[in-house]
Amino acid sequence: MSYASLEYEKALALGQKEYKACQAKGLPLYPPVLDEVLTGVDTRGEVELGLVDVPIHLITGTRSAGRQRAFSPSFYPLLGADTELAAKWTALCSAHLSEGINEPIKVYEYLHDFYVQEGHKRVSVLRYFGAITIPAMVTRILPPDDGSLTSRIYQEYLDFYHLTGINYLWFTETGRFARLQSLLGKGPKEPWTREELQDLFLVYHRFLEVYDAKSARELLARKVTAGDALVMLITICGYSLLRDCTGPELKTTLARLRAELMVIAQIPRPQPPVKKLLQTVTKAMTGTTGAAAEMLTEQTGEAGEEAEQTVSAR
C-alpha cells in the first residue's frame, strides 16, 4: 500500500470518528448544503470577488447535495478505500506531497461561511494536512437586509472587508469591527498597509492555536468567536503586547485573564469546588452552623469578584 493510500485510511478514520461523534450528539452528520440554506431566502444578488485566499476552517458546506454524503462535517472522507473518491483523494494527496495543490477551487460565500461548488477533494486533502488557507474563486451571495443582528454584523463585515480584504474575522455583536480598527490605531475609514495586514494575520493565527485548545474553548463556553476573544485580549493587554507574545506566552496570558474574559463575555463565573462542598455540608447541618458556612462560602468568591470590580471600574 502506498504512502498516499495510508494517508487516506487515516483521513477516513478521522471522518468515521467525527461521524459517530456527531451521531451520538444529535448533530448534522454531513456538511450543510447551500441550496437548502437558501430555501425561501430573498437574497440581494451575487458579487464576484475573484481569486481569494479562503480560510479553510470557514469552508463549512457544499453548494449542492451531490457530494454531501461523501464527507464528514470537517470534510474528512467517509467512503471506503475501494471507491472512486478514495482513488482520486489518494492521487491528490500524492500531488500535494510532490508539488503542491495550486489550482483554485470554486466556492460561494454566504454570511461568512463558504460552500464548495468545485474542489471538494482538494479541500479534504488540504484540511487533512493542516492547511490554513486555500486559493478559491469566490462568489458572494448577499443576504437580505432585514435589520436582524446577523444582517447588521454582516454589513459591518462587508465595510471592513472592503477596507482591508480580511475575511477570517467574525464577531457576535455589532461595533467590534470598528473597535478593532480603533484598537490598532486606525481611523474609521483608514486603509491598512500590507505590513499591518501581515502582522494581524500572524497575531490572529498564533492566537488561534491557543484559543482552539480544548481548555480555551471551554473557558468562553463557545459563546464568543475567536475574533471576539482576540478583541477582548487586545482591549485588556494592548495590541503591542499580543503582537510580541510567543505562543507559550500567549497561552499564559489567556489563562491569567480567564476571569476578566468571562466577565467581558458576560459568562457566569463557575462555582469554585470549595463553594459546592460547603453548600453540600450546609444542607446536612442545622442551627447556627448554616450562617457560619454561608460566611465561608462568601469568602471563596472574593478572588473572582476582584476581576469583575476591575472591569466595572473601567
Side-chain angles (χ1 to χ4, degrees), residues 103-173:
E103 183 181 357
I105 63 173
K106 184 173 182 179
V107 300
Y108 284 81
E109 184 254 308
Y110 181 68
L111 288 176
H112 199 241
D113 286 320
F114 293 83
Y115 299 82
V116 185
Q117 182 177 31
E118 298 176 4
H120 299 75
K121 292 180 288 296
R122 278 168 276 170
V123 172
S124 181
V125 170
L126 290 175
R127 187 154 189 169
Y128 171 74
F129 281 101
I132 296 175
T133 63
I134 184 171
M137 299 300 294
V138 180
T139 300
R140 171 173 288 156
I141 300 177
L142 296 174
D145 186 9
D146 57 9
S148 65
L149 176 61
T150 300
S151 174
R152 287 182 282 127
I153 294 172
Y154 189 74
Q155 185 57 54
E156 293 184 2
Y157 164 73
L158 290 181
D159 294 340
F160 187 73
Y161 181 86
H162 290 319
L163 195 61
T164 65
I166 291 174
N167 60 6
Y168 52 84
L169 291 175
W170 184 255
F171 301 111
T172 58
E173 297 290 343

Side-chain angles (χ1 to χ4, degrees), residues 283-294:
K283 291 180 181 179
M285 299 171 71
T286 58
T288 57
T289 54
E294 184 177 349

Side-chain angles (χ1 to χ4, degrees), residues 180-201:
L180 176 62
Q181 183 90 348
S182 175
L183 286 170
L184 271 61
K186 310 292 293 182
K189 295 184 179 181
E190 183 181 352
W192 292 43
T193 66
R194 179 178 296 181
E195 291 75 17
E196 289 168 336
L197 291 171
Q198 290 174 341
D199 278 349
L200 183 62
F201 182 83

Side-chain angles (χ1 to χ4, degrees), residues 290-310:
E294 184 177 349
M295 184 180 298
L296 288 172
T297 300
E298 291 176 355
Q299 292 176 356
T300 63
E302 290 179 357
E305 289 170 0
E306 290 179 3
E308 293 186 24
Q309 293 170 358
T310 300

Side-chain angles (χ1 to χ4, degrees), residues 9-19 72 76-77 128:
E9 294 286 353
K10 294 177 183 177
L12 176 61
L14 290 174
Q16 293 171 338
K17 181 179 179 180
E18 183 177 31
Y19 180 94
S72 72
Y76 295 122
Y128 171 74

